[in-house]
Amino acid sequence: MTAILEHANLCVSDPHATAAWMEKVFGWRIRWQGPAIHGGLSVHVGSKDSYLALYTPPEDLGDPLPRYANKGTLNHLALIVEDLDSAEEAVREVGFTPMNHADYEPGRRFYFLDGEGVEYELV
């Protein structure tokens, strides 16, 4: 048996704004949105098979912990895209800066940070 990632849940300050740039860059759509645990709000954005649950609590969020230095901290999310050059253009159009371009198995890639400090790798 092989497990398949169905979803991941991220805390963000504005789930609607995050979902909007993800729709533009990743071609995803909002699958569901509504009240969530602890009086918060969740927006599920993704494809028909998987998604990210974007959660915000009713109170302000604290600053993110540094990546690559804390137990349990998400370092980055990697996504496969059909056209890396078009994806890079879309990343720039929504105001993020592509960085750390590389080419190793399984192919070309780059990284970017979103407005929440989450690092994404596009392959």
Side-chain angles (χ1 to χ4, degrees), residues 98-102 104 109-111 119:
M99 60 187 183
N100 299 335
H101 294 74
Y104 53 85
R109 67 201 59 241
F110 70 88
Y111 298 76
E119 184 178 75

Side-chain angles (χ1 to χ4, degrees), residues 21 24-26 85-96:
W21 76 252
K24 290 176 184 171
V25 173
F26 303 146
D85 295 327
S86 293
E88 184 168 359
E89 183 179 320
V91 166
R92 290 183 194 283
E93 286 175 3
V94 298
F96 304 137

Side-chain angles (χ1 to χ4, degrees), residues 5-120:
L5 183 65
E6 192 254 347
H7 81 273
N9 189 310
L10 298 175
C11 281
V12 297
S13 57
D14 184 342
H16 291 106
T18 300
W21 76 252
M22 288 180 167
E23 288 175 314
K24 290 176 184 171
V25 173
F26 303 146
W28 290 349
R29 65 175 178 78
I30 293 176
R31 297 170 34 138
W32 178 86
Q33 57 188 318
I37 192 168
H38 306 303
L41 171 71
S42 282
V43 175
H44 295 182
V45 62
S47 68
K48 70 178 186 72
D49 298 319
S50 63
Y51 65 96
L52 290 178
L54 307 174
Y55 171 79
T56 189
E59 65 278 344
D60 289 339
L61 292 169
D63 291 333
L65 293 172
R67 289 178 308 286
Y68 303 98
N70 292 281
K71 288 182 183 178
T73 300
L74 176 71
N75 293 319
H76 67 262
L77 293 169
L79 301 154
I80 297 170
V81 296
E82 290 179 13
D83 182 338
L84 191 64
D85 295 327
S86 293
E88 184 168 359
E89 183 179 320
V91 166
R92 290 183 194 283
E93 286 175 3
V94 298
F96 304 137
T97 304
M99 60 187 183
N100 299 335
H101 294 74
D103 189 354
Y104 53 85
E105 190 62 34
R108 291 176 42 231
R109 67 201 59 241
F110 70 88
Y111 298 76
F112 69 94
L113 296 173
D114 74 358
E116 303 289 335
V118 177
E119 184 178 75
Y120 294 85

